[in-house]
Amino acid sequence: MLNQMLFDNPLLVRHVRSRLRSPQPGYLTVVVVLLASCLMWAGYAADGLDQPVIFCLFFGCQCLTLHLAGTSQVASSISASSDSGILDFHRVSPLSSLTTTMGFVLGAPIREYLVALLLLPFTLVSAVLCDVGITGFLTSGIVLISTTMLFHSLAITAGLLATRGKTRNINMGLGFIVVTSSFASFQVFAGLPIPGLLTAGPALLEAIHVNGPRGAVPLTFFGISLPLFVQSLLYQIPLTIFLFVAAVRRMRSAQAMLYSKSTAIAFLASIAALNLGGIIGHPQLQAAWLVPMLAYMEFIVASLLILAITPSQGLYHNCVRRSRRIGMARPPLWHDDSSNRAAVFVMAGLLLASVQIIQTLVPAMKIDDRFWRIAGTATAVVTYLGLASQYFFLKFGRRGKLVLMMFLFLFWLMPLIFAALASPAFGADAAIVIASLSPLFGIGSGSWLALIFAGSMAAVFFVLLLLEERNVWDKLGGRKHAWEDDDLTDQASNPFLQ
């Protein structure tokens, strides 16, 4: 299996032959080695090789090459294949989706890997000559590889999701994420693990023995003091795995959900665990900002995961027909093409459980009723967003996404605009009441109105979704049409028909 993914991978071979076609590797090697040698000589002439400055320069060049240029190349390669239609050919080829994904991830940035490899000896020598040493070189290098795989997995997932002709927008967005996360490296000294630990910056700072400003908060994981490079790996590896799973599933089929329902729940549970890992044992907890920040973060992640597992009208209709044929009372709740109801309730429960865990394990926070309203509002908003998206997709078909966007505009953005307009005329109290109808403000406010409104919306969409599912079942479950022949059913892609 490993031999097929790496050494016998035609996609990897194609990228190597196209991006490292002779004499390009020779020219690239000469340029990189000469520039690196000049930099090393400049450090020697300035008597600065005993300082970590030269090591940081070489390490920074590797980061720029792999994280910015390499990530952009992965996104551009997969987007170009999708635009030209070659990606559909790869999907029907005998190669497995995992092998195809590995071919793009490892092959597209092969030139960037070569540049980083050429800089590796200079990075090692500069580390040995200063107080970084072999240990700092190894720890920072391991995190560099882990961060590279994280960003490249994000790039291929974004490229598979993007519409045609949007390569430039993808590269700009990925570049913004990489740069912003890198500048957040110093936030780990304030006790904030994300997004700083998602880059190689904290491991580099640890390797050059930077302890942060005076009075910096030591970062722990569930109260255990671990090296920063270990904590970086604890945060990066799970995210890389889940992003890679999404890429493999979408590589298998352009219509496939990014995640199965159980995988999406496991993803959200992992995010909650990572968030709690940075909170539990924190020496300077401030509930005033911690609970709202945690609620907003998990609300955003849960919303994205819900959209990633919500089937379209056509997929759900086919699931109803197939389940009816084999005599099932209803479609399986956990099948990819079934309704997202069960998964939405589990995700909402995970969000609520996070606050309960904080209250249990961190009694010093003194969580009051306001924080419970924050957690309740976030839970209700996640619930009604999931139910509403599924209802709109089933009710309006291809127009479902447009209707959902209009719904979010009316109930998430317009209350904020009305509140800003009403504040000069009716006062701040009236503006806060209006703005609380939007979860973008209501979650953080922790008001009773935001909780009641979100809970009411969840109840309304739960009833509407049940009625729509029953309507679909009555419409499609009884009579078999002429175009529903068994030979049109792709039983191989439906495990519950095996």
Side-chain angles (χ1 to χ4, degrees):
M1 184 67 178
L2 182 61
N3 180 65
Q4 183 183 13
M5 288 190 298
L6 298 180
F7 306 105
D8 195 24
N9 191 327
L11 279 174
L12 179 58
V13 173
R14 180 182 71 85
H15 282 107
V16 170
R17 289 178 175 176
S18 62
R19 300 209 71 212
L20 296 181
R21 184 181 295 110
S22 181
Q24 294 180 7
Y27 296 155
L28 184 63
T29 301
V30 171
V31 172
V32 172
V33 171
L34 285 178
L35 291 177
S37 300
C38 292
L39 181 59
M40 185 68 75
W41 175 258
Y44 172 77
D47 198 18
L49 291 181
D50 58 342
Q51 300 296 323
V53 177
I54 302 300
F55 170 77
C56 292
L57 289 176
F58 283 122
F59 189 84
C61 290
Q62 289 179 309
C63 289
L64 289 175
T65 302
L66 294 175
H67 296 168
L68 279 180
T71 301
S72 175
Q73 187 60 41
V74 173
S76 300
S77 177
I78 192 67
S79 299
S81 298
S82 178
D83 294 344
S84 62
I86 297 178
L87 189 60
D88 295 329
F89 169 77
H90 293 318
R91 288 191 173 107
V92 300
S93 66
L95 291 177
S96 66
S97 55
L98 178 59
T99 302
T100 305
T101 306
M102 291 295 294
F104 279 102
V105 171
L106 298 179
I110 191 65
R111 189 181 298 169
E112 287 72 21
Y113 286 137
L114 176 61
V115 173
L117 186 62
L118 292 173
L119 292 174
L120 190 62
F122 297 94
T123 308
L124 175 59
V125 172
S126 60
V128 173
L129 294 178
C130 66
D131 58 352
V132 173
I134 295 293
T135 302
F137 170 78
L138 292 177
T139 56
S140 58
I142 292 173
V143 178
L144 174 65
I145 296 173
S146 175
T147 307
T148 300
M149 296 308 300
L150 173 63
F151 288 142
H152 290 185
S153 299
L154 177 63
I156 192 170
T157 304
L160 289 169
L161 291 175
T163 56
R164 294 188 175 184
K166 300 296 183 180
T167 304
R168 182 178 179 182
N169 296 339
I170 297 175
N171 291 336
M172 291 177 60
L174 292 173
F176 176 79
I177 293 174
V178 173
V179 173
T180 303
S181 301
S182 300
F183 278 114
S185 297
F186 275 96
Q187 285 187 347
V188 299
F189 297 114
L192 299 177
I194 296 177
L197 287 181
L198 301 182
T199 67
L204 173 63
L205 296 176
E206 185 180 49
I208 62 178
H209 310 294
V210 173
N211 298 321
R214 180 176 297 178
V217 180
L219 188 64
T220 61
F221 191 74
F222 286 104
I224 303 174
S225 181
L226 297 173
L228 288 180
F229 85 93
V230 174
Q231 297 190 52
S232 298
L233 295 177
L234 290 175
Y235 280 84
Q236 292 177 15
I237 291 176
L239 296 180
T240 303
I241 292 174
F242 282 111
L243 286 174
F244 203 80
V245 167
V248 171
R249 287 176 61 90
R250 184 50 67 96
M251 188 70 72
R252 184 181 301 116
S253 172
Q255 304 300 325
M257 300 288 101
L258 285 180
Y259 298 103
S260 65
K261 292 177 171 59
S262 57
T263 305
I265 292 172
F267 195 174
L268 183 61
S270 301
I271 295 294
L274 294 176
N275 287 332
L276 293 175
I279 293 172
I280 304 302
H282 196 292
Q284 297 181 6
L285 291 174
Q286 297 180 7
W289 60 266
L290 182 59
V291 173
M293 183 184 69
L294 181 65
Y296 273 115
M297 180 178 295
E298 295 195 14
F299 154 70
I300 294 173
V301 175
S303 301
L304 295 176
L305 290 175
I306 285 172
L307 295 178
I309 64 173
T310 302
S312 62
Q313 183 188 66
L315 293 176
Y316 182 77
H317 285 187
N318 290 334
C319 184
V320 171
R321 295 187 185 102
R322 290 191 293 264
S323 59
R324 184 68 172 181
R325 290 178 184 179
I326 61 176
M328 299 184 66
R330 62 175 182 269
L333 285 177
W334 296 102
H335 189 262
D336 288 359
D337 297 340
S338 184
S339 173
N340 67 5
R341 279 187 292 116
V344 166
F345 286 124
V346 174
M347 289 184 180
L350 283 175
L351 195 156
L352 186 62
S354 299
V355 175
Q356 176 62 48
I357 294 174
I358 292 176
Q359 186 187 32
T360 303
L361 299 182
V362 192
M365 291 186 61
K366 299 178 181 179
I367 297 180
D368 55 21
D369 292 340
R370 174 177 173 270
F371 298 130
W372 283 117
R373 292 195 296 271
I374 291 175
T377 303
T379 302
V381 171
V382 168
T383 304
Y384 87 67
L385 174 64
L387 299 177
S389 60
Q390 186 65 86
Y391 170 72
F392 291 142
F393 287 0
L394 297 184
K395 181 69 175 180
F396 300 100
R398 295 183 178 179
R399 295 177 297 156
K401 293 183 179 180
L402 181 61
V403 176
L404 178 61
M405 293 176 60
M406 180 60 65
F407 171 80
L408 297 180
F409 172 76
L410 293 177
F411 288 93
W412 287 22
L413 293 182
M414 289 306 298
L416 301 180
I417 298 175
F418 287 152
L421 297 176
S423 180
F426 301 100
D429 293 338
I432 291 176
V433 170
I434 298 175
S436 296
L437 300 178
S438 170
L440 303 179
F441 177 83
I443 293 177
S445 68
S447 64
W448 282 107
L449 177 60
L451 177 60
I452 294 173
F453 179 76
S456 302
M457 295 288 283
V460 169
F461 280 106
F462 178 69
V463 174
L464 290 176
L465 180 57
L466 286 180
L467 294 176
E468 182 62 25
E469 289 179 4
R470 181 172 297 181
N471 180 44
V472 172
W473 181 256
D474 293 339
K475 180 180 178 181
L476 303 177
R479 185 168 56 91
K480 181 177 178 180
H481 299 277
W483 44 270
E484 295 183 69
D485 295 332
D486 291 336
D487 58 348
L488 298 179
T489 303
D490 186 9
Q491 299 186 7
S493 61
N494 296 278
F496 71 95
L497 289 182
Q498 299 288 323

